PDB file of all heavy atoms in Angstrom:
ATOM      1  N   GLU G  48       0.848  -1.188   0.000  1.00  0.00           N
ATOM      2  CA  GLU G  48       0.000   0.000   0.000  1.00  0.00           C
ATOM      3  C   GLU G  48       0.889   1.246   0.000  1.00  0.00           C
ATOM      4  O   GLU G  48       1.859   1.311   0.742  1.00  0.00           O
ATOM      5  CB  GLU G  48      -0.912   0.040   1.226  1.00  0.00           C
ATOM      6  CG  GLU G  48      -1.846  -1.153   1.330  1.00  0.00           C
ATOM      7  CD  GLU G  48      -1.301  -2.228   2.252  1.00  0.00           C
ATOM      8  OE1 GLU G  48      -0.129  -2.619   2.082  1.00  0.00           O
ATOM      9  OE2 GLU G  48      -2.048  -2.687   3.118  1.00  0.00           O
ATOM     10  N   ALA G  49       0.536   2.217  -0.804  1.00  0.00           N
ATOM     11  CA  ALA G  49       1.391   3.391  -1.004  1.00  0.00           C
ATOM     12  C   ALA G  49       1.772   4.067   0.310  1.00  0.00           C
ATOM     13  O   ALA G  49       2.946   4.368   0.531  1.00  0.00           O
ATOM     14  CB  ALA G  49       0.720   4.386  -1.946  1.00  0.00           C
ATOM     15  N   GLY G  50       0.820   4.316   1.184  1.00  0.00           N
ATOM     16  CA  GLY G  50       1.120   5.021   2.433  1.00  0.00           C
ATOM     17  C   GLY G  50       2.083   4.269   3.319  1.00  0.00           C
ATOM     18  O   GLY G  50       2.998   4.851   3.904  1.00  0.00           O
ATOM     19  N   ILE G  51       1.882   2.969   3.428  1.00  0.00           N
ATOM     20  CA  ILE G  51       2.766   2.149   4.268  1.00  0.00           C
ATOM     21  C   ILE G  51       4.129   1.987   3.600  1.00  0.00           C
ATOM     22  O   ILE G  51       5.170   2.140   4.236  1.00  0.00           O
ATOM     23  CB  ILE G  51       2.116   0.789   4.572  1.00  0.00           C
ATOM     24  CG1 ILE G  51       0.871   1.001   5.432  1.00  0.00           C
ATOM     25  CG2 ILE G  51       3.104  -0.151   5.249  1.00  0.00           C
ATOM     26  CD1 ILE G  51       0.022  -0.222   5.632  1.00  0.00           C
ATOM     27  N   ALA G  52       4.126   1.689   2.307  1.00  0.00           N
ATOM     28  CA  ALA G  52       5.389   1.522   1.581  1.00  0.00           C
ATOM     29  C   ALA G  52       6.217   2.804   1.614  1.00  0.00           C
ATOM     30  O   ALA G  52       7.445   2.757   1.732  1.00  0.00           O
ATOM     31  CB  ALA G  52       5.113   1.094   0.139  1.00  0.00           C
ATOM     32  N   GLU G  53       5.544   3.944   1.547  1.00  0.00           N
ATOM     33  CA  GLU G  53       6.261   5.222   1.619  1.00  0.00           C
ATOM     34  C   GLU G  53       6.956   5.373   2.972  1.00  0.00           C
ATOM     35  O   GLU G  53       8.111   5.812   3.038  1.00  0.00           O
ATOM     36  CB  GLU G  53       5.286   6.378   1.408  1.00  0.00           C
ATOM     37  CG  GLU G  53       5.928   7.730   1.558  1.00  0.00           C
ATOM     38  CD  GLU G  53       4.912   8.851   1.656  1.00  0.00           C
ATOM     39  OE1 GLU G  53       3.703   8.618   1.492  1.00  0.00           O
ATOM     40  OE2 GLU G  53       5.347   9.980   1.908  1.00  0.00           O
ATOM     41  N   GLN G  54       6.276   5.002   4.046  1.00  0.00           N
ATOM     42  CA  GLN G  54       6.880   5.108   5.379  1.00  0.00           C
ATOM     43  C   GLN G  54       8.070   4.160   5.524  1.00  0.00           C
ATOM     44  O   GLN G  54       9.084   4.511   6.137  1.00  0.00           O
ATOM     45  CB  GLN G  54       5.831   4.826   6.461  1.00  0.00           C
ATOM     46  CG  GLN G  54       4.732   5.866   6.515  1.00  0.00           C
ATOM     47  CD  GLN G  54       5.278   7.272   6.723  1.00  0.00           C
ATOM     48  OE1 GLN G  54       6.115   7.509   7.585  1.00  0.00           O
ATOM     49  NE2 GLN G  54       4.803   8.205   5.926  1.00  0.00           N
ATOM     50  N   VAL G  55       7.964   2.967   4.945  1.00  0.00           N
ATOM     51  CA  VAL G  55       9.083   2.025   4.982  1.00  0.00           C
ATOM     52  C   VAL G  55      10.257   2.593   4.179  1.00  0.00           C
ATOM     53  O   VAL G  55      11.405   2.531   4.624  1.00  0.00           O
ATOM     54  CB  VAL G  55       8.663   0.633   4.440  1.00  0.00           C
ATOM     55  CG1 VAL G  55       9.865  -0.292   4.300  1.00  0.00           C
ATOM     56  CG2 VAL G  55       7.608   0.010   5.354  1.00  0.00           C
ATOM     57  N   ALA G  56       9.965   3.156   3.013  1.00  0.00           N
ATOM     58  CA  ALA G  56      11.028   3.754   2.193  1.00  0.00           C
ATOM     59  C   ALA G  56      11.722   4.881   2.945  1.00  0.00           C
ATOM     60  O   ALA G  56      12.949   4.995   2.924  1.00  0.00           O
ATOM     61  CB  ALA G  56      10.445   4.254   0.869  1.00  0.00           C
ATOM     62  N   LYS G  57      10.943   5.710   3.641  1.00  0.00           N
ATOM     63  CA  LYS G  57      11.532   6.801   4.422  1.00  0.00           C
ATOM     64  C   LYS G  57      12.389   6.258   5.559  1.00  0.00           C
ATOM     65  O   LYS G  57      13.469   6.792   5.843  1.00  0.00           O
ATOM     66  CB  LYS G  57      10.440   7.716   4.976  1.00  0.00           C
ATOM     67  CG  LYS G  57       9.803   8.598   3.935  1.00  0.00           C
ATOM     68  CD  LYS G  57       8.713   9.464   4.542  1.00  0.00           C
ATOM     69  CE  LYS G  57       8.061  10.345   3.511  1.00  0.00           C
ATOM     70  NZ  LYS G  57       6.976  11.147   4.105  1.00  0.00           N
ATOM     71  N   ALA G  58      11.921   5.204   6.205  1.00  0.00           N
ATOM     72  CA  ALA G  58      12.695   4.601   7.291  1.00  0.00           C
ATOM     73  C   ALA G  58      14.007   4.035   6.754  1.00  0.00           C
ATOM     74  O   ALA G  58      15.069   4.196   7.375  1.00  0.00           O
ATOM     75  CB  ALA G  58      11.888   3.510   7.987  1.00  0.00           C
ATOM     76  N   LEU G  59      13.947   3.390   5.599  1.00  0.00           N
ATOM     77  CA  LEU G  59      15.177   2.863   5.000  1.00  0.00           C
ATOM     78  C   LEU G  59      16.131   3.999   4.633  1.00  0.00           C
ATOM     79  O   LEU G  59      17.344   3.895   4.840  1.00  0.00           O
ATOM     80  CB  LEU G  59      14.855   2.018   3.769  1.00  0.00           C
ATOM     81  CG  LEU G  59      14.241   0.652   4.042  1.00  0.00           C
ATOM     82  CD1 LEU G  59      13.758   0.014   2.745  1.00  0.00           C
ATOM     83  CD2 LEU G  59      15.246  -0.251   4.740  1.00  0.00           C
ATOM     84  N   PHE G  60      15.587   5.088   4.082  1.00  0.00           N
ATOM     85  CA  PHE G  60      16.437   6.224   3.736  1.00  0.00           C
ATOM     86  C   PHE G  60      17.112   6.789   4.982  1.00  0.00           C
ATOM     87  O   PHE G  60      18.319   7.047   4.981  1.00  0.00           O
ATOM     88  CB  PHE G  60      15.625   7.315   3.029  1.00  0.00           C
ATOM     89  CG  PHE G  60      16.454   8.521   2.706  1.00  0.00           C
ATOM     90  CD1 PHE G  60      17.354   8.494   1.660  1.00  0.00           C
ATOM     91  CD2 PHE G  60      16.363   9.666   3.470  1.00  0.00           C
ATOM     92  CE1 PHE G  60      18.156   9.596   1.377  1.00  0.00           C
ATOM     93  CE2 PHE G  60      17.146  10.770   3.190  1.00  0.00           C
ATOM     94  CZ  PHE G  60      18.044  10.742   2.143  1.00  0.00           C
ATOM     95  N   ASN G  61      16.331   6.962   6.053  1.00  0.00           N
ATOM     96  CA  ASN G  61      16.905   7.459   7.306  1.00  0.00           C
ATOM     97  C   ASN G  61      18.001   6.531   7.820  1.00  0.00           C
ATOM     98  O   ASN G  61      19.035   6.983   8.308  1.00  0.00           O
ATOM     99  CB  ASN G  61      15.816   7.633   8.363  1.00  0.00           C
ATOM    100  CG  ASN G  61      14.878   8.771   8.034  1.00  0.00           C
ATOM    101  OD1 ASN G  61      15.235   9.696   7.311  1.00  0.00           O
ATOM    102  ND2 ASN G  61      13.673   8.696   8.542  1.00  0.00           N
ATOM    103  N   LYS G  62      17.776   5.233   7.678  1.00  0.00           N
ATOM    104  CA  LYS G  62      18.791   4.258   8.085  1.00  0.00           C
ATOM    105  C   LYS G  62      20.060   4.455   7.249  1.00  0.00           C
ATOM    106  O   LYS G  62      21.168   4.454   7.787  1.00  0.00           O
ATOM    107  CB  LYS G  62      18.244   2.843   7.901  1.00  0.00           C
ATOM    108  CG  LYS G  62      19.241   1.756   8.203  1.00  0.00           C
ATOM    109  CD  LYS G  62      18.630   0.384   7.963  1.00  0.00           C
ATOM    110  CE  LYS G  62      19.643  -0.718   8.187  1.00  0.00           C
ATOM    111  NZ  LYS G  62      19.035  -2.051   7.946  1.00  0.00           N
ATOM    112  N   GLY G  63      19.894   4.640   5.945  1.00  0.00           N
ATOM    113  CA  GLY G  63      21.050   4.856   5.072  1.00  0.00           C
ATOM    114  C   GLY G  63      21.829   6.102   5.453  1.00  0.00           C
ATOM    115  O   GLY G  63      23.065   6.098   5.485  1.00  0.00           O
ATOM    116  N   VAL G  64      21.116   7.168   5.782  1.00  0.00           N
ATOM    117  CA  VAL G  64      21.768   8.411   6.200  1.00  0.00           C
ATOM    118  C   VAL G  64      22.530   8.191   7.499  1.00  0.00           C
ATOM    119  O   VAL G  64      23.675   8.613   7.645  1.00  0.00           O
ATOM    120  CB  VAL G  64      20.747   9.555   6.339  1.00  0.00           C
ATOM    121  CG1 VAL G  64      21.360  10.772   7.012  1.00  0.00           C
ATOM    122  CG2 VAL G  64      20.185   9.937   4.972  1.00  0.00           C
ATOM    123  N   ARG G  65      21.890   7.532   8.466  1.00  0.00           N
ATOM    124  CA  ARG G  65      22.557   7.280   9.753  1.00  0.00           C
ATOM    125  C   ARG G  65      23.820   6.445   9.568  1.00  0.00           C
ATOM    126  O   ARG G  65      24.849   6.710  10.184  1.00  0.00           O
ATOM    127  CB  ARG G  65      21.605   6.583  10.713  1.00  0.00           C
ATOM    128  CG  ARG G  65      20.562   7.487  11.284  1.00  0.00           C
ATOM    129  CD  ARG G  65      19.717   6.760  12.330  1.00  0.00           C
ATOM    130  NE  ARG G  65      18.660   7.601  12.813  1.00  0.00           N
ATOM    131  CZ  ARG G  65      17.405   7.555  12.363  1.00  0.00           C
ATOM    132  NH1 ARG G  65      17.053   6.695  11.447  1.00  0.00           N
ATOM    133  NH2 ARG G  65      16.504   8.382  12.853  1.00  0.00           N
ATOM    134  N   LEU G  66      23.727   5.432   8.711  1.00  0.00           N
ATOM    135  CA  LEU G  66      24.899   4.590   8.460  1.00  0.00           C
ATOM    136  C   LEU G  66      26.007   5.392   7.780  1.00  0.00           C
ATOM    137  O   LEU G  66      27.182   5.249   8.125  1.00  0.00           O
ATOM    138  CB  LEU G  66      24.513   3.373   7.611  1.00  0.00           C
ATOM    139  CG  LEU G  66      23.659   2.329   8.315  1.00  0.00           C
ATOM    140  CD1 LEU G  66      23.087   1.336   7.309  1.00  0.00           C
ATOM    141  CD2 LEU G  66      24.477   1.601   9.387  1.00  0.00           C
ATOM    142  N   ALA G  67      25.641   6.237   6.827  1.00  0.00           N
ATOM    143  CA  ALA G  67      26.642   7.067   6.148  1.00  0.00           C
ATOM    144  C   ALA G  67      27.305   8.011   7.133  1.00  0.00           C
ATOM    145  O   ALA G  67      28.527   8.199   7.103  1.00  0.00           O
ATOM    146  CB  ALA G  67      25.993   7.846   5.007  1.00  0.00           C
ATOM    147  N   MET G  68      26.522   8.590   8.033  1.00  0.00           N
ATOM    148  CA  MET G  68      27.074   9.512   9.020  1.00  0.00           C
ATOM    149  C   MET G  68      27.976   8.787  10.019  1.00  0.00           C
ATOM    150  O   MET G  68      28.893   9.390  10.575  1.00  0.00           O
ATOM    151  CB  MET G  68      25.950  10.244   9.743  1.00  0.00           C
ATOM    152  CG  MET G  68      25.217  11.227   8.841  1.00  0.00           C
ATOM    153  SD  MET G  68      23.792  12.001   9.638  1.00  0.00           S
ATOM    154  CE  MET G  68      24.594  12.891  10.955  1.00  0.00           C
ATOM    155  N   ALA G  69      27.719   7.501  10.223  1.00  0.00           N
ATOM    156  CA  ALA G  69      28.545   6.696  11.122  1.00  0.00           C
ATOM    157  C   ALA G  69      29.736   6.095  10.379  1.00  0.00           C
ATOM    158  O   ALA G  69      30.408   5.209  10.898  1.00  0.00           O
ATOM    159  CB  ALA G  69      27.705   5.593  11.759  1.00  0.00           C
ATOM    160  N   ASP G  70      29.971   6.572   9.149  1.00  0.00           N
ATOM    161  CA  ASP G  70      31.086   6.116   8.314  1.00  0.00           C
ATOM    162  C   ASP G  70      30.999   4.627   8.001  1.00  0.00           C
ATOM    163  O   ASP G  70      32.009   3.927   7.942  1.00  0.00           O
ATOM    164  CB  ASP G  70      32.434   6.476   8.951  1.00  0.00           C
ATOM    165  CG  ASP G  70      33.536   6.569   7.914  1.00  0.00           C
ATOM    166  OD1 ASP G  70      33.228   6.882   6.740  1.00  0.00           O
ATOM    167  OD2 ASP G  70      34.700   6.297   8.262  1.00  0.00           O
ATOM    168  N   GLN G  71      29.793   4.153   7.811  1.00  0.00           N
ATOM    169  CA  GLN G  71      29.556   2.775   7.385  1.00  0.00           C
ATOM    170  C   GLN G  71      29.003   2.821   5.962  1.00  0.00           C
ATOM    171  O   GLN G  71      27.867   2.448   5.694  1.00  0.00           O
ATOM    172  CB  GLN G  71      28.593   2.080   8.348  1.00  0.00           C
ATOM    173  CG  GLN G  71      29.140   1.956   9.746  1.00  0.00           C
ATOM    174  CD  GLN G  71      28.173   1.237  10.664  1.00  0.00           C
ATOM    175  OE1 GLN G  71      27.440   0.346  10.254  1.00  0.00           O
ATOM    176  NE2 GLN G  71      28.183   1.631  11.923  1.00  0.00           N
ATOM    177  N   LYS G  72      29.852   3.299   5.060  1.00  0.00           N
ATOM    178  CA  LYS G  72      29.404   3.595   3.707  1.00  0.00           C
ATOM    179  C   LYS G  72      28.950   2.361   2.932  1.00  0.00           C
ATOM    180  O   LYS G  72      28.010   2.435   2.150  1.00  0.00           O
ATOM    181  CB  LYS G  72      30.495   4.338   2.944  1.00  0.00           C
ATOM    182  CG  LYS G  72      30.712   5.724   3.495  1.00  0.00           C
ATOM    183  CD  LYS G  72      31.753   6.485   2.729  1.00  0.00           C
ATOM    184  CE  LYS G  72      31.906   7.859   3.354  1.00  0.00           C
ATOM    185  NZ  LYS G  72      32.875   8.666   2.688  1.00  0.00           N
ATOM    186  N   GLU G  73      29.588   1.229   3.154  1.00  0.00           N
ATOM    187  CA  GLU G  73      29.186   0.017   2.439  1.00  0.00           C
ATOM    188  C   GLU G  73      27.756  -0.383   2.818  1.00  0.00           C
ATOM    189  O   GLU G  73      26.933  -0.685   1.954  1.00  0.00           O
ATOM    190  CB  GLU G  73      30.151  -1.129   2.733  1.00  0.00           C
ATOM    191  CG  GLU G  73      29.890  -2.362   1.897  1.00  0.00           C
ATOM    192  CD  GLU G  73      30.943  -3.427   2.115  1.00  0.00           C
ATOM    193  OE1 GLU G  73      32.146  -3.094   2.126  1.00  0.00           O
ATOM    194  OE2 GLU G  73      30.539  -4.589   2.269  1.00  0.00           O
ATOM    195  N   LYS G  74      27.463  -0.355   4.111  1.00  0.00           N
ATOM    196  CA  LYS G  74      26.111  -0.680   4.566  1.00  0.00           C
ATOM    197  C   LYS G  74      25.114   0.368   4.083  1.00  0.00           C
ATOM    198  O   LYS G  74      23.995   0.032   3.683  1.00  0.00           O
ATOM    199  CB  LYS G  74      26.059  -0.776   6.093  1.00  0.00           C
ATOM    200  CG  LYS G  74      26.750  -1.990   6.646  1.00  0.00           C
ATOM    201  CD  LYS G  74      26.647  -2.028   8.152  1.00  0.00           C
ATOM    202  CE  LYS G  74      27.365  -3.234   8.727  1.00  0.00           C
ATOM    203  NZ  LYS G  74      27.254  -3.260  10.206  1.00  0.00           N
ATOM    204  N   ALA G  75      25.515   1.622   4.103  1.00  0.00           N
ATOM    205  CA  ALA G  75      24.639   2.690   3.623  1.00  0.00           C
ATOM    206  C   ALA G  75      24.320   2.492   2.145  1.00  0.00           C
ATOM    207  O   ALA G  75      23.171   2.655   1.716  1.00  0.00           O
ATOM    208  CB  ALA G  75      25.285   4.055   3.853  1.00  0.00           C
ATOM    209  N   ASN G  76      25.326   2.120   1.372  1.00  0.00           N
ATOM    210  CA  ASN G  76      25.134   1.847  -0.052  1.00  0.00           C
ATOM    211  C   ASN G  76      24.137   0.717  -0.267  1.00  0.00           C
ATOM    212  O   ASN G  76      23.291   0.786  -1.149  1.00  0.00           O
ATOM    213  CB  ASN G  76      26.464   1.491  -0.707  1.00  0.00           C
ATOM    214  CG  ASN G  76      26.844   2.453  -1.791  1.00  0.00           C
ATOM    215  OD1 ASN G  76      26.034   3.202  -2.301  1.00  0.00           O
ATOM    216  ND2 ASN G  76      28.113   2.429  -2.146  1.00  0.00           N
ATOM    217  N   GLN G  77      24.238  -0.333   0.536  1.00  0.00           N
ATOM    218  CA  GLN G  77      23.314  -1.466   0.424  1.00  0.00           C
ATOM    219  C   GLN G  77      21.879  -1.007   0.663  1.00  0.00           C
ATOM    220  O   GLN G  77      20.961  -1.428  -0.046  1.00  0.00           O
ATOM    221  CB  GLN G  77      23.684  -2.566   1.410  1.00  0.00           C
ATOM    222  CG  GLN G  77      24.969  -3.277   1.083  1.00  0.00           C
ATOM    223  CD  GLN G  77      25.420  -4.218   2.203  1.00  0.00           C
ATOM    224  OE1 GLN G  77      24.868  -4.217   3.295  1.00  0.00           O
ATOM    225  NE2 GLN G  77      26.430  -5.019   1.917  1.00  0.00           N
ATOM    226  N   VAL G  78      21.693  -0.150   1.648  1.00  0.00           N
ATOM    227  CA  VAL G  78      20.355   0.351   1.962  1.00  0.00           C
ATOM    228  C   VAL G  78      19.823   1.202   0.812  1.00  0.00           C
ATOM    229  O   VAL G  78      18.665   1.060   0.407  1.00  0.00           O
ATOM    230  CB  VAL G  78      20.359   1.145   3.288  1.00  0.00           C
ATOM    231  CG1 VAL G  78      19.026   1.828   3.519  1.00  0.00           C
ATOM    232  CG2 VAL G  78      20.701   0.235   4.455  1.00  0.00           C
ATOM    233  N   VAL G  79      20.666   2.061   0.262  1.00  0.00           N
ATOM    234  CA  VAL G  79      20.233   2.915  -0.848  1.00  0.00           C
ATOM    235  C   VAL G  79      19.835   2.057  -2.049  1.00  0.00           C
ATOM    236  O   VAL G  79      18.788   2.289  -2.667  1.00  0.00           O
ATOM    237  CB  VAL G  79      21.338   3.929  -1.234  1.00  0.00           C
ATOM    238  CG1 VAL G  79      21.008   4.634  -2.534  1.00  0.00           C
ATOM    239  CG2 VAL G  79      21.531   4.940  -0.122  1.00  0.00           C
ATOM    240  N   PHE G  80      20.631   1.044  -2.364  1.00  0.00           N
ATOM    241  CA  PHE G  80      20.290   0.176  -3.487  1.00  0.00           C
ATOM    242  C   PHE G  80      19.000  -0.591  -3.215  1.00  0.00           C
ATOM    243  O   PHE G  80      18.203  -0.816  -4.130  1.00  0.00           O
ATOM    244  CB  PHE G  80      21.434  -0.778  -3.822  1.00  0.00           C
ATOM    245  CG  PHE G  80      22.506  -0.119  -4.639  1.00  0.00           C
ATOM    246  CD1 PHE G  80      23.731   0.197  -4.077  1.00  0.00           C
ATOM    247  CD2 PHE G  80      22.291   0.224  -5.964  1.00  0.00           C
ATOM    248  CE1 PHE G  80      24.720   0.823  -4.814  1.00  0.00           C
ATOM    249  CE2 PHE G  80      23.271   0.847  -6.717  1.00  0.00           C
ATOM    250  CZ  PHE G  80      24.488   1.151  -6.145  1.00  0.00           C
ATOM    251  N   GLU G  81      18.765  -0.971  -1.965  1.00  0.00           N
ATOM    252  CA  GLU G  81      17.515  -1.639  -1.610  1.00  0.00           C
ATOM    253  C   GLU G  81      16.326  -0.712  -1.857  1.00  0.00           C
ATOM    254  O   GLU G  81      15.308  -1.130  -2.412  1.00  0.00           O
ATOM    255  CB  GLU G  81      17.536  -2.083  -0.153  1.00  0.00           C
ATOM    256  CG  GLU G  81      16.278  -2.817   0.262  1.00  0.00           C
ATOM    257  CD  GLU G  81      16.312  -3.315   1.686  1.00  0.00           C
ATOM    258  OE1 GLU G  81      17.375  -3.272   2.333  1.00  0.00           O
ATOM    259  OE2 GLU G  81      15.249  -3.755   2.147  1.00  0.00           O
ATOM    260  N   ILE G  82      16.460   0.546  -1.470  1.00  0.00           N
ATOM    261  CA  ILE G  82      15.385   1.523  -1.705  1.00  0.00           C
ATOM    262  C   ILE G  82      15.103   1.641  -3.195  1.00  0.00           C
ATOM    263  O   ILE G  82      13.958   1.573  -3.637  1.00  0.00           O
ATOM    264  CB  ILE G  82      15.763   2.912  -1.144  1.00  0.00           C
ATOM    265  CG1 ILE G  82      15.864   2.878   0.365  1.00  0.00           C
ATOM    266  CG2 ILE G  82      14.762   3.976  -1.600  1.00  0.00           C
ATOM    267  CD1 ILE G  82      16.530   4.113   0.961  1.00  0.00           C
ATOM    268  N   LEU G  83      16.163   1.827  -3.971  1.00  0.00           N
ATOM    269  CA  LEU G  83      15.990   2.033  -5.408  1.00  0.00           C
ATOM    270  C   LEU G  83      15.466   0.787  -6.092  1.00  0.00           C
ATOM    271  O   LEU G  83      14.628   0.883  -7.004  1.00  0.00           O
ATOM    272  CB  LEU G  83      17.309   2.504  -6.024  1.00  0.00           C
ATOM    273  CG  LEU G  83      17.798   3.860  -5.500  1.00  0.00           C
ATOM    274  CD1 LEU G  83      19.170   4.189  -6.063  1.00  0.00           C
ATOM    275  CD2 LEU G  83      16.803   4.961  -5.787  1.00  0.00           C
ATOM    276  N   ASP G  84      15.908  -0.398  -5.663  1.00  0.00           N
ATOM    277  CA  ASP G  84      15.403  -1.640  -6.246  1.00  0.00           C
ATOM    278  C   ASP G  84      13.940  -1.860  -5.898  1.00  0.00           C
ATOM    279  O   ASP G  84      13.137  -2.238  -6.735  1.00  0.00           O
ATOM    280  CB  ASP G  84      16.209  -2.845  -5.749  1.00  0.00           C
ATOM    281  CG  ASP G  84      17.579  -2.938  -6.388  1.00  0.00           C
ATOM    282  OD1 ASP G  84      17.820  -2.272  -7.407  1.00  0.00           O
ATOM    283  OD2 ASP G  84      18.418  -3.684  -5.844  1.00  0.00           O
ATOM    284  N   ARG G  85      13.597  -1.619  -4.650  1.00  0.00           N
ATOM    285  CA  ARG G  85      12.250  -1.918  -4.163  1.00  0.00           C
ATOM    286  C   ARG G  85      11.225  -0.875  -4.598  1.00  0.00           C
ATOM    287  O   ARG G  85      10.095  -1.214  -4.935  1.00  0.00           O
ATOM    288  CB  ARG G  85      12.258  -1.997  -2.643  1.00  0.00           C
ATOM    289  CG  ARG G  85      10.970  -2.557  -2.077  1.00  0.00           C
ATOM    290  CD  ARG G  85      10.934  -2.536  -0.579  1.00  0.00           C
ATOM    291  NE  ARG G  85      11.883  -3.437   0.035  1.00  0.00           N
ATOM    292  CZ  ARG G  85      11.895  -3.710   1.340  1.00  0.00           C
ATOM    293  NH1 ARG G  85      11.019  -3.148   2.149  1.00  0.00           N
ATOM    294  NH2 ARG G  85      12.785  -4.530   1.845  1.00  0.00           N
ATOM    295  N   TYR G  86      11.605   0.393  -4.610  1.00  0.00           N
ATOM    296  CA  TYR G  86      10.636   1.466  -4.828  1.00  0.00           C
ATOM    297  C   TYR G  86      10.921   2.325  -6.051  1.00  0.00           C
ATOM    298  O   TYR G  86      10.147   3.233  -6.354  1.00  0.00           O
ATOM    299  CB  TYR G  86      10.571   2.375  -3.592  1.00  0.00           C
ATOM    300  CG  TYR G  86      10.227   1.620  -2.346  1.00  0.00           C
ATOM    301  CD1 TYR G  86      11.191   1.379  -1.371  1.00  0.00           C
ATOM    302  CD2 TYR G  86       8.947   1.122  -2.143  1.00  0.00           C
ATOM    303  CE1 TYR G  86      10.887   0.673  -0.221  1.00  0.00           C
ATOM    304  CE2 TYR G  86       8.633   0.408  -0.998  1.00  0.00           C
ATOM    305  CZ  TYR G  86       9.604   0.190  -0.043  1.00  0.00           C
ATOM    306  OH  TYR G  86       9.294  -0.517   1.088  1.00  0.00           O
ATOM    307  N   GLY G  87      12.003   2.061  -6.750  1.00  0.00           N
ATOM    308  CA  GLY G  87      12.423   2.915  -7.856  1.00  0.00           C
ATOM    309  C   GLY G  87      11.441   3.051  -8.991  1.00  0.00           C
ATOM    310  O   GLY G  87      11.439   4.048  -9.701  1.00  0.00           O
ATOM    311  N   LYS G  88      10.564   2.084  -9.163  1.00  0.00           N
ATOM    312  CA  LYS G  88       9.596   2.134 -10.254  1.00  0.00           C
ATOM    313  C   LYS G  88       8.227   2.660  -9.804  1.00  0.00           C
ATOM    314  O   LYS G  88       7.314   2.768 -10.619  1.00  0.00           O
ATOM    315  CB  LYS G  88       9.445   0.757 -10.879  1.00  0.00           C
ATOM    316  CG  LYS G  88      10.709   0.295 -11.592  1.00  0.00           C
ATOM    317  CD  LYS G  88      10.472  -0.966 -12.356  1.00  0.00           C
ATOM    318  CE  LYS G  88      11.624  -1.548 -13.095  1.00  0.00           C
ATOM    319  NZ  LYS G  88      12.876  -1.021 -13.145  1.00  0.00           N
ATOM    320  N   ARG G  89       8.104   2.996  -8.532  1.00  0.00           N
ATOM    321  CA  ARG G  89       6.825   3.523  -8.032  1.00  0.00           C
ATOM    322  C   ARG G  89       6.614   4.919  -8.612  1.00  0.00           C
ATOM    323  O   ARG G  89       7.533   5.728  -8.656  1.00  0.00           O
ATOM    324  CB  ARG G  89       6.813   3.598  -6.503  1.00  0.00           C
ATOM    325  CG  ARG G  89       6.987   2.287  -5.774  1.00  0.00           C
ATOM    326  CD  ARG G  89       5.801   1.352  -5.867  1.00  0.00           C
ATOM    327  NE  ARG G  89       4.611   1.795  -5.222  1.00  0.00           N
ATOM    328  CZ  ARG G  89       4.050   1.218  -4.159  1.00  0.00           C
ATOM    329  NH1 ARG G  89       4.625   0.189  -3.580  1.00  0.00           N
ATOM    330  NH2 ARG G  89       2.925   1.687  -3.678  1.00  0.00           N
ATOM    331  N   THR G  90       5.397   5.180  -9.043  1.00  0.00           N
ATOM    332  CA  THR G  90       5.104   6.456  -9.707  1.00  0.00           C
ATOM    333  C   THR G  90       4.312   7.422  -8.832  1.00  0.00           C
ATOM    334  O   THR G  90       4.093   8.560  -9.237  1.00  0.00           O
ATOM    335  CB  THR G  90       4.323   6.209 -11.014  1.00  0.00           C
ATOM    336  OG1 THR G  90       3.112   5.502 -10.699  1.00  0.00           O
ATOM    337  CG2 THR G  90       5.153   5.412 -12.007  1.00  0.00           C
ATOM    338  N   GLU G  91       3.889   6.969  -7.651  1.00  0.00           N
ATOM    339  CA  GLU G  91       3.142   7.871  -6.779  1.00  0.00           C
ATOM    340  C   GLU G  91       4.035   9.052  -6.386  1.00  0.00           C
ATOM    341  O   GLU G  91       5.208   8.864  -6.073  1.00  0.00           O
ATOM    342  CB  GLU G  91       2.684   7.136  -5.503  1.00  0.00           C
ATOM    343  CG  GLU G  91       1.736   5.984  -5.743  1.00  0.00           C
ATOM    344  CD  GLU G  91       2.448   4.647  -5.891  1.00  0.00           C
ATOM    345  OE1 GLU G  91       3.647   4.610  -6.230  1.00  0.00           O
ATOM    346  OE2 GLU G  91       1.797   3.627  -5.672  1.00  0.00           O
TER     347      GLU G  91
END
């Protein structure tokens, strides 16, 4: 569902930012790719 999926995407993005800020760039990259793979084709 768009509303729930959007909140999950935002949570994943926040996780990626936190990991990047903690200098865990490899893990942050994995999270970003997960976001783009999972939600990249959503048009909402």
